[in-house]
Amino acid sequence: MAYRVFRSRGLLTVSAAALSLACLSANAQTAAPGQAEDSAPETAAAQDAPQEPEATEVVVTGSRIRQTPGFDTPNPVVSIGSETLQASGTTNLTDFLTGYPALQGSSTSGDNSGDRAGIGFTGLNLLDLRNLGTQRTLVLVDGRRHVAGVPGSAAIDINTIPNDLVERIEVLTGGASAIYGADGVTGVVNFILKKDFDGITARAQAGISEYGDAGQRLFSITAGKNFAGGRGNFAVSYEYGIDDRLQTRDRANLRGTDAIGFYRNPNGTSPTYVPLNNIRYFDTNREGGIDIDQDGFPDYLVNASGAVVPFDPGTFVPNFYQQGGNATLVSDYRNDLLPKVERHVVNALAHFDVSDAVTIFAEAKYANTRSFSLAQPTFDYYLVIPEDNPFIPASLQPLVAAEGLGSVLVNRDNFDFGQRGEDIRRETWRGVIGVRGELSSHLNYEASYTYGRTDVRNRYVNDILDDRFYAAIDAVQGPNGPTCRVNIDPTWTPTQPYNYTREEHAPTTFQPGQCIPINLFGEGLNSQAALDWILTDTVDRSRIEQHVASAYLSGDLGGLFTLPGGAVGFSVGAEYRKEKSRFTPDPLAAQGLTFTNALTTDAGEYDVKEVFGELRVPLLKDRFIHRLEIGGAVRYSDYSTIGTTTSWKVDGAFAPIRDITFTGTYSKAVRAPNIGELFSGNSQTFEFITDPCLPDEIQFGTQYRAANCQALLTSLGADPATYEDVRSTNIPGFAGGNPNLSEEEATTWTAGAIIQPSFIPGLSLRADWYDIKLKNAINTVTSEQLAQLCVDQPTLDNPFCPGIVRQNGAAGTALAGNIVGFTVLPQNVANFSTAGLDVNFNYRLRTDNLGTFNLSIVGNYLDRLEFIGTPGADVTNRRQEALFRAPKYTVNADLTWQKGGLTVNYGILWFSKTLRYSNQEVAGDPDIVAPEYLWLKERWQHDIYASYDVNDKFQIYGGVRNLWGQKPDLGTSIYPVNSIGRFGFVGARVKLPSF
């Protein structure tokens, strides 16, 4: 399904729109890579330190071949343990994972709240590896695929994964398509769950901000029982979590006249943007701005006391704001910082060892997630209200008559009608059944079937039926008081030539005689019955289904021969997968009868048949050198949509001595287009477009922009020298799918060095350079990018201009040349690339009397994050941009001390300063902002945690996130940290023996 954006008002300038996607708070807890799947967790310090190699071989992320896990695997894997998760203090897994460099661009609940959430996205938590898109990040549960949480996509809602059932999380960088199939072009995040429960464990945790809000509560209980002499085990787990809603108005610095944003300099001098408070929209207010002379700007309003007062325009702030006066505050339009998210997750796990050769296993899960958030109200511009409307204040009626226009115009922000929002219920069912076993000491197998289904019910609240609204505001005096004109004249139809926020419909959802009039002249004057008549909640529904049947053989050739380094390991297998998705809009929304976007039914499916193989060849071990190993994998896929693809990888590890190992991987990965990209119908969407042909924007384009804009605007009847766009809302357009898409192709390589000096026990250091290049990438350019591409090509005869519709001559509120529509769709036209250095350091020091100390650091240097949106377009550099959460340097560090039953952890999350504006904007305008505001400040988040094991059955713990109370930078609400402030939490864990 195409990503659809609510019809909404612009809140800030370019900088604030960018920062609305900036990252939320994360923790600073870290862990070492390469932990074994079956290793038992110890204390936080012990778990986070690198483990000595164990004799038991297990399957680790990035391979299907059993091997001894360790810090020096060829594939760079970061492993994060369950106690590290608990020490973070958050019950939101995505918030936790954004503390790690590879995942800091992920989409959290905060990103998907209020008007920052696309339609149907409220409360979602989606992972994004390396800032290359949630659709390119493969999320697994115990090495198996999981049904998506977003219609038309493969993206998994992390809310469905039980926090307390997680044993560890493994993050693999690099193309993993050869092992796991499509979608893993940037890497894999594998959630490995706890197993083999015998007894009862329970955990409860609660936390709250220093302001007494943004609370989080978690309760979980797991009960398991061995049976048949230990050959079988059955366990069931229940988890309940709730995150409280947080509104912008809950923070004093973000509400009212104190809220500060960056706007164009009212003086028209340098710098271009300056910080200003008490900023308002220049042409509207909450009570209804009344334009008597119809010059486009209000003249009067009815204030809270019921008095008619002049509209105060304050001081004009380009392009459509004012400072001071009595227009609507921009801060009033700011809405939820966090949605309310409530989760119920039930899991059941069982296995039974029929024999050494046959183990039957099964899993079942049900997750119910409820998300709620409010966004912006409806709003209207230049509503034509005839002069016989009885609600027009009596003191204004003579002035209206004197103008002789027969009507007034009203601009209004309808806060008293209620804020629009989403109340979304997502239900996920997932079942796994399979068999595995040992055929010999050199051969094992597994076969499984996985079924998943996600049902989404999305209720849009406080929407307005457009036909009823237009009927209700056209009031006349009836025999018993004000009534609707349609009640007197059944042939009535609306005439609103200037308001571009709604569609005109003849009476469709009602009959003449049923209408209840609405008074627009003042705030809070209408009865609940009148509001209920125009308001409606619409319900969209989606269903996503997944079937996966997989089988593989794995083992080694040790029964036939061995190499000097050991036996050759192998794995071969096959997989069948079918994906289905259907989105059904509410009938009212499908007809475009409401203020919210007109939506279409989206439906599609595909299947894929695959065969795969993998080899691990240990060439040498302790012969001249310590270790030399190479490996490779290949996967052949046949899609019902795009045909056949092949992905492959090679890797190797070379350790001349025990203390140092060099590793490397090289892979070719693919991603097939998802259902939404292929099959979405054209649905209405709304986007803000800064017109590239505005005089102030010409400087930001290519050398062709000025000439192209002059030719384009002149042909439409506009003067390029004085061209302007005074509208302040987003623009309607259409977004849909493209059935002609082909697969994306990624080339990925990593090169690393691992140091584990034998003369410093407990120390390990791993550094990996990664390089990911994605070509033929599927990209849907934004409408603004489309407008820019149109005029930035050598001529106007290019593929982009047909997607932009401009006004030919002035009409309604649009001036000649203004953009009035667009159509965007995905295409295989982009190239993305990123590169950098990951560093993972661990040092554990055991002492005889002072306990155990563990220092863990995960760091990243970002060398490149580049996008080429279309063939021939210039490279767009996103490194160090706040919008893309792409700091040059990131460090996630913590120091843990453990003695007896007491554990204390101090964590720091830091990243370097980032640009308030894009690199391209800064290059085009060196004076875009004063030097002290150009960079958003570094992030310095300090966290503290302590736990105490009262005995082997009971543990208490607590801590504080953001201990020193770092706040968002000036002009932002969620960057470099969120607005929650200090967050304290306490919890307890109990473990009872077998029952």
Side-chain angles (χ1 to χ4, degrees):
M1 186 176 72
Y3 185 90
R4 303 170 180 123
V5 180
F6 276 120
R7 186 196 311 258
S8 57
R9 290 203 65 161
L11 293 182
L12 294 178
T13 57
V14 175
S15 65
L19 294 173
S20 69
L21 296 177
C23 65
L24 282 173
S25 171
N27 60 83
Q29 312 302 322
T30 57
Q35 247 184 320
E37 178 172 339
D38 297 329
S39 60
E42 301 175 16
T43 66
Q47 184 173 343
D48 290 352
Q51 304 295 309
E52 291 298 321
E54 300 176 4
T56 303
E57 293 187 333
V58 298
V59 175
V60 297
T61 301
S63 175
R64 295 185 188 272
I65 301 172
R66 292 183 180 180
Q67 54 189 292
T68 301
F71 198 64
D72 55 356
T73 58
N75 297 304
V77 177
V78 172
S79 181
I80 309 158
S82 59
E83 293 202 15
T84 304
L85 173 58
Q86 176 178 300
S88 73
T90 181
T91 59
N92 184 300
L93 285 168
T94 307
D95 283 351
F96 167 70
L97 289 171
T98 56
Y100 291 86
L103 291 164
Q104 62 186 349
S106 298
S107 180
T108 67
S109 296
D111 297 319
N112 294 312
S113 65
D115 62 351
R116 292 187 300 278
I119 292 179
F121 273 62
T122 294
L124 282 172
N125 280 260
L126 310 173
L127 298 183
D128 183 351
L129 266 171
R130 304 297 180 190
N131 275 308
L132 293 180
T134 59
Q135 71 273 34
R136 299 181 180 93
T137 301
L138 181 59
V139 176
L140 306 173
V141 176
D142 287 327
R144 300 184 185 91
R145 285 181 176 263
H146 191 286
V147 66
V150 181
S153 169
I156 294 172
D157 182 12
I158 306 303
N159 285 316
T160 64
I161 297 175
N163 183 301
D164 204 41
L165 208 58
V166 172
E167 174 69 28
R168 70 183 185 279
I169 306 165
E170 294 186 340
V171 183
L172 167 67
T173 293
S177 295
I179 303 298
Y180 299 113
D183 307 321
V185 290
T186 60
V188 169
V189 181
N190 189 12
F191 290 86
I192 299 167
L193 305 185
K194 299 172 183 175
K195 305 173 183 68
D196 292 322
F197 292 93
D198 191 23
I200 300 175
T201 63
R203 175 188 171 198
Q205 178 177 316
I208 198 165
S209 80
E210 61 181 301
Y211 304 101
D213 52 22
Q216 292 183 329
R217 278 87 68 202
L218 176 75
F219 172 77
S220 67
I221 184 168
T222 303
K225 178 68 175 176
N226 290 324
F227 61 90
R231 293 166 57 198
N233 180 269
F234 175 81
V236 62
S237 172
Y238 167 72
E239 179 170 301
Y240 172 77
I242 183 168
D243 299 347
D244 290 342
R245 179 176 165 229
L246 180 66
Q247 302 178 72
T248 302
R249 68 193 63 166
D250 294 328
R251 295 293 178 264
N253 65 312
L254 301 178
R255 65 174 181 253
T257 59
D258 292 333
I260 295 175
F262 280 77
Y263 301 86
R264 283 194 174 272
N265 193 331
N267 299 325
T269 58
S270 295
T272 306
Y273 291 94
V274 294
L276 300 172
N277 71 329
N278 194 15
I279 296 298
R280 302 163 183 263
Y281 295 103
F282 80 127
D283 56 356
T284 182
N285 58 33
R286 300 168 63 118
E287 299 89 351
I290 308 167
D291 181 7
I292 292 178
D293 56 9
Q294 299 192 18
D295 63 351
F297 296 94
D299 302 303
Y300 299 94
L301 60 90
V302 179
N303 67 16
S305 301
V308 176
V309 298
F311 182 90
D312 184 351
T315 301
F316 180 69
V317 177
N319 287 319
F320 36 76
Y321 299 105
Q322 67 182 55
Q323 187 173 35
N326 54 13
T328 301
L329 284 163
V330 170
S331 61
D332 287 353
Y333 263 91
R334 290 175 173 161
N335 38 73
D336 287 3
L337 294 168
L338 293 172
K340 179 182 178 181
V341 179
E342 188 173 17
R343 303 180 301 116
H344 300 267
V345 185
V346 179
N347 279 264
L349 307 96
H351 72 265
F352 182 74
D353 299 332
V354 179
S355 68
D356 291 343
V358 178
T359 296
I360 300 171
F361 62 91
E363 303 172 14
K365 177 170 80 172
Y366 171 74
N368 184 311
T369 303
R370 191 79 175 262
S371 304
F372 175 78
S373 183
L374 291 180
Q376 298 184 0
T378 61
F379 46 89
D380 294 277
Y381 292 90
Y382 313 111
L383 292 170
V384 177
I385 306 299
E387 63 181 344
D388 61 350
N389 189 301
F391 296 123
I392 295 177
S395 62
L396 293 182
Q397 290 175 4
L399 300 179
V400 175
E403 289 290 341
L405 299 174
S407 62
V408 299
L409 301 180
V410 175
N411 292 352
R412 196 174 194 276
D413 299 305
N414 304 315
F415 282 90
D416 53 345
F417 296 173
Q419 290 175 253
R420 294 171 295 143
E422 292 187 316
D423 181 359
I424 302 180
R425 184 190 66 207
R426 300 180 178 93
E427 294 181 284
T428 301
W429 290 264
R430 183 174 184 262
V432 179
I433 188 168
V435 60
R436 60 175 176 252
E438 306 280 344
L439 298 178
S440 73
S441 60
H442 299 285
L443 187 63
N444 60 83
Y445 70 95
E446 179 176 300
S448 65
Y449 166 71
T450 302
Y451 172 76
R453 191 179 93 193
T454 299
D455 287 343
V456 183
R457 187 225 61 188
N458 187 3
R459 184 166 65 95
Y460 302 99
V461 300
N462 293 328
D463 206 351
I464 290 183
L465 293 163
D466 288 346
D467 65 331
R468 296 191 181 197
F469 176 80
Y470 276 147
I473 66 173
D474 192 0
V476 295
Q477 187 66 41
N480 299 311
T483 187
C484 304
R485 195 182 304 273
V486 69
N487 292 338
I488 297 174
D489 178 10
T491 66
W492 172 92
T493 56
T495 302
Q496 294 291 343
Y498 309 123
N499 184 29
Y500 49 88
T501 68
R502 303 179 191 272
E503 302 295 330
E504 291 183 328
H505 300 280
T508 305
T509 67
F510 70 97
Q511 296 296 321
Q514 298 175 339
C515 179
I516 302 176
I518 287 286
N519 182 359
L520 298 180
F521 300 93
E523 186 173 22
L525 302 180
N526 294 288
S527 68
Q528 190 59 49
L531 295 180
D532 289 344
W533 192 75
I534 63 171
L535 292 172
T536 187
D537 293 349
T538 59
V539 178
D540 298 338
R541 299 184 184 275
S542 303
R543 172 165 291 183
I544 311 160
E545 288 186 279
Q546 181 185 70
H547 301 264
V548 184
S550 179
Y552 69 89
L553 287 171
S554 180
D556 63 64
L557 302 178
L560 301 176
F561 67 92
T562 59
L563 297 176
V568 174
F570 73 92
S571 176
V572 293
E575 184 171 282
Y576 172 81
R577 178 164 55 94
K578 185 169 186 175
E579 305 277 359
K580 298 174 65 176
S581 179
R582 183 176 183 84
F583 168 79
T584 305
D586 185 279
L588 292 172
Q591 297 175 71
L593 295 174
T594 67
F595 188 89
T596 301
N597 314 28
L599 306 175
T600 60
T601 297
D602 295 337
E605 63 180 70
Y606 69 86
D607 62 19
V608 55
K609 308 174 187 71
E610 301 178 289
V611 293
F612 52 85
E614 182 183 0
L615 279 178
R616 181 173 61 87
V617 183
L619 297 174
L620 294 172
K621 186 174 179 63
D622 296 326
R623 298 191 180 189
F624 310 110
I625 60 174
H626 179 64
R627 182 167 70 102
L628 178 61
E629 173 186 308
I630 59 173
V634 64
R635 191 179 192 99
Y636 177 81
S637 307
D638 185 3
Y639 288 86
S640 60
T641 51
I642 60 170
T644 61
T645 67
T646 302
S647 54
W648 54 270
K649 76 159 189 172
V650 293
D651 59 52
F654 167 58
I657 58 176
R658 176 208 172 280
D659 293 14
I660 186 166
T661 302
F662 300 99
T663 64
T665 67
Y666 186 88
S667 66
K668 293 284 188 178
V670 298
R671 184 183 78 88
N674 60 40
I675 292 172
E677 291 166 334
L678 288 167
F679 303 119
S680 284
N682 277 342
S683 288
Q684 193 177 35
T685 186
F686 292 82
E687 295 186 16
F688 293 99
I689 303 177
T690 300
D691 194 330
C693 288
L694 290 169
D696 290 340
E697 298 295 321
I698 295 293
Q699 61 186 320
F700 299 129
T702 66
Q703 68 268 35
Y704 309 113
R705 181 178 291 190
N708 282 337
C709 284
Q710 182 167 355
L712 182 61
L713 295 176
T714 301
S715 71
L716 298 171
D719 182 355
T722 60
Y723 176 66
E724 61 179 346
D725 185 348
V726 298
R727 299 168 299 169
S728 61
T729 66
N730 48 16
I731 295 170
F734 293 93
N738 181 359
N740 298 316
L741 294 172
S742 60
E743 70 273 12
E744 299 178 341
E745 301 173 1
T747 301
T748 302
W749 61 268
T750 66
I754 303 151
I755 300 174
Q756 296 175 295
S758 55
F759 53 88
I760 309 179
L763 186 146
S764 60
L765 172 65
R766 176 162 189 161
D768 291 279
W769 186 271
Y770 61 90
D771 188 292
I772 302 171
K773 291 187 175 69
L774 191 67
K775 69 176 183 178
N776 207 36
I778 298 168
N779 186 37
T780 301
V781 298
T782 67
S783 56
E784 184 167 316
Q785 291 172 326
L786 191 66
Q788 293 169 350
L789 288 166
C790 168
V791 295
D792 282 346
Q793 309 304 308
T795 71
L796 292 172
D797 184 15
N798 61 64
F800 311 111
C801 286
I804 294 292
V805 180
R806 289 180 178 269
Q807 182 64 44
N808 190 351
T813 59
L815 301 177
N818 286 174
I819 297 172
V820 293
F822 60 89
T823 301
V824 293
L825 72 160
Q827 296 176 307
N828 289 103
V829 294
N831 289 294
F832 305 153
S833 69
T834 187
L837 178 69
D838 283 335
V839 177
N840 195 338
F841 172 86
N842 274 276
Y843 179 55
R844 182 173 59 180
L845 175 65
R846 299 181 184 271
T847 67
D848 294 332
N849 300 314
L850 299 178
T852 300
F853 298 86
N854 191 85
L855 175 63
S856 179
I857 301 172
V858 176
N860 174 263
Y861 162 71
L862 181 61
D863 181 68
R864 182 179 74 242
L865 182 61
E866 296 176 344
F867 298 83
I868 302 176
T870 56
D874 292 337
V875 174
T876 302
N877 174 26
R878 297 301 187 187
R879 189 177 78 152
Q880 294 187 288
E881 290 186 7
L883 170 62
F884 278 77
R885 302 172 186 169
K888 187 175 181 179
Y889 300 101
T890 304
V891 174
N892 188 332
D894 69 306
L895 177 65
T896 304
W897 171 70
Q898 188 267 334
K899 181 174 174 60
L902 178 64
T903 300
V904 178
N905 175 272
Y906 194 93
I908 295 175
L909 178 59
W910 173 88
F911 57 64
S912 56
K913 62 184 181 180
T914 47
L915 286 167
R916 188 180 295 270
Y917 298 89
S918 71
N919 286 291
Q920 186 173 359
E921 288 171 315
V922 173
D925 182 3
D927 296 321
I928 193 168
V929 73
E932 62 267 29
Y933 300 126
L934 180 60
W935 296 91
L936 291 167
K937 61 187 177 184
E938 302 168 336
R939 182 175 190 172
W940 281 103
Q941 180 177 313
H942 299 252
D943 303 325
I944 190 167
Y945 165 86
S947 68
Y948 182 67
D949 297 332
V950 178
N951 52 44
D952 60 356
K953 299 181 180 63
F954 186 66
Q955 180 192 72
I956 56 175
Y957 63 89
V960 179
R961 295 205 315 263
N962 195 9
L963 179 64
W964 305 118
Q966 185 179 15
K967 295 181 179 180
D969 207 342
L970 185 71
T972 79
S973 61
I974 52 177
Y975 198 91
V977 296
N978 60 30
S979 294
I980 292 175
R982 295 180 184 87
F983 184 90
F985 62 94
V986 294
R989 181 183 294 275
V990 62
K991 181 178 181 180
L992 301 177
S994 178
F995 54 90

